[in-house]
Amino acid sequence: MNIVVLAGGLSTERDVSFKSGEMIASALRQNGHNTILLDVFMGYSDKEEDLDGIFNRSREVSVKVGDIPTEAPDIVAIKRSRKDKSDNFFGPNVIRMCQMADIVFIALHGENGEDGRIQAAFDLLGVKYTGNDYISSAIAMDKGMTKGHLRGYDVPFPGGFSLKKHERFAESNNDAPRFPCVVKPSCGGSSIGVSIVNNIMEYEHALDEAFRWEDEVIVEDYIKGREFSVGVIEGVALPVIEIAPKEGFYDYKNKYKKGAAEETCPADIPDEISSKMQLYAERVAAGLGIETYSRMDFILDEKNEIYCLEANTLPGMTPTSLLPQEAACIGIDYNDLCEEIIKISLKKYKRG
């Protein structure tokens, strides 16, 4: 097949997306596909040109990827660097190349990738793509909306509230945190803008930091415990993986710096806890209408109570990512996982 792997974009997870895309593109080439790794924002070339036969030059036209930096990218500087200075999110030739492909493998993370907007645009443009539809993507991206949508599905979440930027100092705002608590952007990923706070001074600073990234934040009770993740493919949970950062919590640096966290799959927990966590992950997927693949994150507290933190509709596929490790635990290697994602994603077009 001719495949475009779409990466980059303008989210805070831009660099992570490139690393996911690089590995996916490499795997698909090894599987025999003509694969182009494309930056959705920068596009290919700054001029109109004849794209006939471009998939035969896939390596030549693909983005070259470096290591993931320890800091989130400067999105303002990236916007300024595009040659055509257009306000169009899709860079030059991106739409044409995606329409020429047999399928687009979406390796984007965060805003304008994981939030359903690109999926909706592709639906209108007749572009086939991997992953979930725009509705489930949009709901899962918003942590507050996810909690509200899953009421009645018997999935435990930490207590807390949402706070919009313009409500922060309003007299009508009666929400008050219970310390310790966690403050995080409502739609962010890779733990960017996340703080654990213990007093009002730290809380105000944490709000400043979270509001740097978005206009709505989530304030949740801090749950002390062990961190886990569960991938779900076509409604069936993969083995549970435990993540144990060597320092601090599972923040941006610990997620993508090799050796910064110890990951154990299958997790060393009692079978009944593992099964319950997998059940919760499957309920989240079903409740959000996630039909292809996803990953749910959990905390297990000191009383062995499980709390769901969030759902990810485009899980990372980097060298340190969790979903590929979980799949490998049941004998699905990285290349086969990429192929399986394409296969199950194409099913939604056969139904139509």
Side-chain angles (χ1 to χ4, degrees), residues 59-110:
R59 292 180 183 273
E60 174 190 332
V61 303
S62 288
V63 177
K64 303 301 183 284
V65 179
D67 293 332
I68 300 174
T70 57
E71 300 293 332
D74 185 342
I75 300 301
V76 173
I78 290 165
K79 285 182 177 179
R80 288 174 179 164
S81 69
R82 194 163 96 176
K83 291 182 180 179
D84 68 357
K85 306 302 180 184
S86 171
D87 291 330
N88 189 343
F89 176 75
F90 294 101
N93 295 302
V94 168
I95 295 299
R96 290 175 61 204
M97 292 169 71
C98 288
Q99 288 175 323
M100 292 169 64
D102 295 306
I103 192 168
V104 174
F105 200 119
I106 300 181
L108 296 161
H109 304 310

Side-chain angles (χ1 to χ4, degrees), residues 114-126:
E114 203 163 356
D115 59 8
R117 283 189 272 192
I118 282 183
Q119 289 83 351
F122 280 173
D123 286 343
L124 294 175
L125 293 166

Side-chain angles (χ1 to χ4, degrees), residues 16-162:
V16 181
S17 169
F18 277 134
K19 187 56 69 173
S20 286
E22 179 186 45
M23 286 193 63
I24 292 166
S26 176
L28 293 177
R29 288 179 189 133
Q30 291 172 33
N31 291 349
H33 302 293
N34 298 320
T35 306
I36 295 173
L37 177 58
L38 186 63
D39 183 344
V40 65
F41 181 72
M42 292 298 182
Y44 168 67
S45 181
D46 58 349
K47 62 183 183 218
E48 291 290 325
E49 60 180 85
D50 184 4
L51 299 179
D52 287 345
I54 197 165
F55 284 94
N56 295 325
R57 300 184 286 122
S58 60
R59 292 180 183 273
E60 174 190 332
V61 303
S62 288
V63 177
K64 303 301 183 284
V65 179
D67 293 332
I68 300 174
T70 57
E71 300 293 332
D74 185 342
I75 300 301
V76 173
I78 290 165
K79 285 182 177 179
R80 288 174 179 164
S81 69
R82 194 163 96 176
K83 291 182 180 179
D84 68 357
K85 306 302 180 184
S86 171
D87 291 330
N88 189 343
F89 176 75
F90 294 101
N93 295 302
V94 168
I95 295 299
R96 290 175 61 204
M97 292 169 71
C98 288
Q99 288 175 323
M100 292 169 64
D102 295 306
I103 192 168
V104 174
F105 200 119
I106 300 181
L108 296 161
H109 304 310
E111 184 180 5
N112 291 323
E114 203 163 356
D115 59 8
R117 283 189 272 192
I118 282 183
Q119 289 83 351
F122 280 173
D123 286 343
L124 294 175
L125 293 166
V127 174
K128 294 178 181 178
Y129 57 89
T130 59
N132 302 289
D133 65 15
Y134 73 94
I135 296 176
S136 59
S137 300
I139 296 172
M141 186 69 182
D142 188 309
K143 298 176 182 65
M145 190 178 294
T146 295
K147 285 185 177 182
H149 195 77
L150 290 173
R151 288 193 184 103
Y153 281 86
D154 194 24
V155 177
F157 288 90
F161 58 89
S162 298

